[in-house]
């Protein structure tokens, strides 16, 4: 992997990650851009104990542009975009409309490929490995910023999720605090550690889940399963078999196997609805690509004193992949119970979801 860092016309950082070591990146951003001005602010909700980002400047962000005006495609001739060069492998740049900025953290965009019509599942193993290396490098770099306490790499795919740019891309949020979801996990880890005399909760969960019939696929270094208490109709958690706190700690064997396992998992998500989901949906060859969220959970880099007896090494890196589609042509909406009280109601038994995801395996 070759890494080349440059600056866009408004001063934001852009980084090329290339497969070839001899690739030269000298193209300049020719757009007449003013310096980016953000109004990001973090406000604390004292009743719930969580934080909300107020970012009014995002109201003006790019919204469903036509394909020939996509800002994530490479620059071609006089069609200028966020990426100055005419081609790229993987690119990461500071978001022009960030939810977090300055002392409130940082937001970056990760473009997985220059092919506008592709998806992550269409990448080759070599390309997917390059994305993993980019995620890892950004996690390392962002963790050293004084305002950053946790780094979150994720992908939103599909208009149903709320994606406003169709180009295959993800994002990285660098938070100035430990996120509420991670804090819940750490409290559970601390309580279990105390109650069992030192057993790690993630290890116990992984042991239980992989012994059950909800395993979807597995390799020597990775295992994917539908969790016992899945919140979403089709939800899969992907864990390295060796517990590590973050992407930085993955060994070479796990990094090498990751593309094979992850790409197959994404392709099954696409096939499950095109083939019919076995729960009343007919499915069709032209069924739209499955909308999903893919979220990497990593240990915070900040102090963990509030989580009694827990260290970063007690956390387990894992990826959570889920779709809001519950059957062909039907979405799972977060209504009163989910949105109002955070109590999820799942229409698809996790065992059935795992069975269907096994059935659509590649031949």
């Amino acid at each position: 992997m070759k890494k080349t860092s440059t600056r866009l016309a408004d001063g934001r950082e852009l980084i090329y990650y290339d497969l070839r070591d001899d690739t030269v990146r000298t193209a300049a951003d020719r757009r007449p851009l003013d310096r980016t001005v953000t109004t990001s602010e973090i406000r604390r909700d004292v009743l719930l104990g969580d934080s909300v980002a107020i970012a009014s400047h995002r109201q003006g962000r790019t919204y469903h542009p036509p394909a020939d005006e996509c800002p994530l495609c490479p620059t071609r001739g006089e069609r200028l975009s966020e990426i100055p060069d005419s081609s790229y492998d993987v690119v990461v740049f500071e978001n022009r409309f960030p939810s977090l900025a300055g002392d409130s953290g940082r937001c970056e965009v990760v473009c997985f490929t220059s092919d506008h019509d592709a998806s992550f599942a269409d990448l080759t193993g070599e390309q997917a490995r390059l994305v993993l290396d980019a995620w890892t490098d950004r996690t390392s770099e962002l963790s050293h910023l004084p305002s950053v306490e946790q780094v979150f790499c994720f992908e939103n795919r599909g208009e149903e999720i709320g994606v406003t740019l169709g180009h295959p891309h993800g994002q990285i949020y660098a938070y100035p605090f430990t996120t509420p979801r991670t804090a819940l996990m750490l409290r559970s880890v601390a309580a279990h550690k105390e109650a069992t005399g030192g057993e790690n909760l993630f290890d116990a969960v992984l042991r239980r889940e992989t012994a059950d019939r909800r395993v979807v696929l597995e390799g020597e270094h990775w295992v994917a399963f539908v969790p016992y208490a899945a919140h979403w109709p089709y939800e899969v958690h992907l864990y390295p078999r060796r517990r590590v706190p973050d992407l930085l700690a993955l060994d070479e064997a796990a990094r090498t196997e990751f593309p094979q396992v992850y790409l197959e998992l994404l392709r099954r998500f696409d096939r499950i609805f095109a083939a019919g989901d076995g729960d009343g949906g007919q499915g069709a060859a032209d069924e739209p690509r499955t909308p999903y969220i893919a979220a990497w959970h990593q240990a915070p880099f900040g102090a963990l004193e509030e989580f009694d007896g827990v260290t970063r090494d007690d956390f387990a890196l894992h990826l959570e992949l889920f779709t809001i589609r519950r059957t062909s042509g039907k979405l799972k909406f977060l209504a009163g119970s989910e949105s109002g009280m955070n109590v999820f109601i799942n229409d698809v038994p996790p065992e059935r979801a795992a069975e269907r995801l096994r059935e659509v395996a590649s031949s």
Side-chain angles (χ1 to χ4, degrees):
M1 178 188 78
K2 181 180 180 181
K3 176 182 175 182
T4 306
S5 181
T6 184
R7 292 282 171 179
L8 296 173
D10 57 5
R12 289 175 294 132
E13 185 178 20
L14 179 144
I15 307 164
Y16 294 98
Y17 293 90
D18 287 296
L19 291 168
R20 291 174 56 96
D21 289 338
D22 59 353
T23 303
V24 177
R25 301 292 185 186
T26 58
D29 184 2
R30 294 181 281 133
R31 297 172 297 171
L33 297 180
D34 294 328
R35 285 273 172 177
T36 300
V37 178
T38 64
T39 56
S40 180
E41 177 188 357
I42 302 296
R43 295 187 181 181
R44 184 77 172 171
D45 185 323
V46 296
L47 288 178
L48 296 180
D50 59 13
S51 300
V52 177
I54 309 297
S56 59
H57 62 277
R58 284 176 53 78
Q59 284 280 39
R61 66 188 184 274
T62 308
Y63 187 81
H64 294 300
D68 62 356
E69 297 178 17
C70 175
L72 306 185
C73 288
T75 290
R76 300 280 170 80
E78 294 308 307
R79 192 182 97 173
L80 308 180
S81 76
E82 289 279 65
I83 296 92
D85 220 324
S86 60
S87 67
Y88 63 83
D89 293 332
V90 172
V91 165
V92 176
F93 60 88
E94 288 184 77
N95 197 324
R96 190 178 179 187
F97 303 97
S99 302
L100 310 167
D103 292 339
S104 297
R106 175 159 157 153
C107 292
E108 299 182 339
V109 177
V110 184
C111 297
F112 303 138
T113 170
S114 60
D115 184 352
H116 180 85
D117 297 317
S119 71
F120 201 117
D122 297 323
L123 300 182
T124 66
E126 185 179 38
Q127 290 173 307
R129 169 60 191 265
L130 184 61
V131 176
L132 175 64
D133 290 343
W135 283 331
T136 304
D137 181 71
R138 297 315 301 152
T139 296
S140 176
E141 292 291 325
L142 293 170
S143 71
H144 289 95
L145 296 180
S147 64
V148 171
E149 189 166 311
Q150 186 172 4
V151 178
F152 176 46
C153 306
F154 65 100
E155 179 191 2
N156 299 328
R157 188 179 79 166
E159 290 187 18
E160 301 93 330
I161 294 292
V163 174
T164 58
L165 297 177
H167 196 101
H169 73 287
Q171 300 181 65
I172 302 175
Y173 277 23
Y175 298 101
F177 51 80
T178 297
T179 61
R181 189 175 179 89
T182 302
L184 283 173
M185 294 184 196
L186 290 170
R187 291 189 190 103
S188 296
V189 168
H192 185 83
K193 189 173 186 179
E194 181 178 5
T196 60
E199 182 184 47
N200 182 273
L201 179 58
F202 283 107
D203 291 349
V205 167
L206 189 59
R207 187 168 57 250
R208 182 187 71 179
E209 297 285 12
T210 54
D212 215 314
R213 57 194 178 98
R214 292 182 305 279
V215 171
V216 173
L217 61 89
E218 51 189 331
E220 183 179 354
H221 304 284
W222 295 87
V223 59
F225 56 86
V226 177
Y228 172 75
H231 289 58
W232 299 92
Y234 290 92
E235 175 182 342
V236 175
H237 294 188
L238 177 64
Y239 276 71
R241 292 187 184 275
R242 182 178 69 88
R243 173 165 47 89
V244 295
D246 52 38
L247 290 166
L248 304 173
L250 286 174
D251 60 24
E252 183 58 30
R255 293 180 184 280
T256 299
E257 187 182 73
F258 171 77
Q260 172 190 343
V261 175
Y262 188 51
L263 290 174
E264 171 61 17
L265 188 58
L266 293 180
R267 290 161 187 166
R268 291 190 193 189
F269 259 60
D270 276 342
R271 286 194 294 267
I272 192 169
F273 294 110
D277 57 20
D279 288 300
Q282 297 301 310
D286 60 352
E287 182 84 30
R289 284 173 166 165
T290 301
Y292 66 70
I293 293 175
W296 280 109
H297 292 263
Q298 306 191 79
F301 289 94
L304 301 179
E305 285 87 353
E306 64 180 290
F307 310 105
D308 296 338
V310 173
T311 69
R312 293 192 77 250
D313 289 335
D314 288 318
F315 194 86
L317 168 75
H318 63 284
L319 181 139
E320 297 184 9
L321 172 69
F322 62 89
T323 178
I324 62 170
R325 188 172 290 165
R326 59 185 175 86
T327 188
S328 297
K330 298 178 182 179
L331 300 180
K332 162 67 176 178
F333 292 101
L334 299 189
S337 185
E338 292 90 351
S339 294
M341 296 302 287
N342 201 28
V343 178
F344 277 67
I345 301 168
N346 190 350
D347 302 325
V348 180
E351 292 74 19
R352 177 57 179 158
E355 180 182 13
R356 287 295 298 138
L357 286 164
R358 290 194 298 267
E359 289 174 351
V360 295
S362 298
S363 57

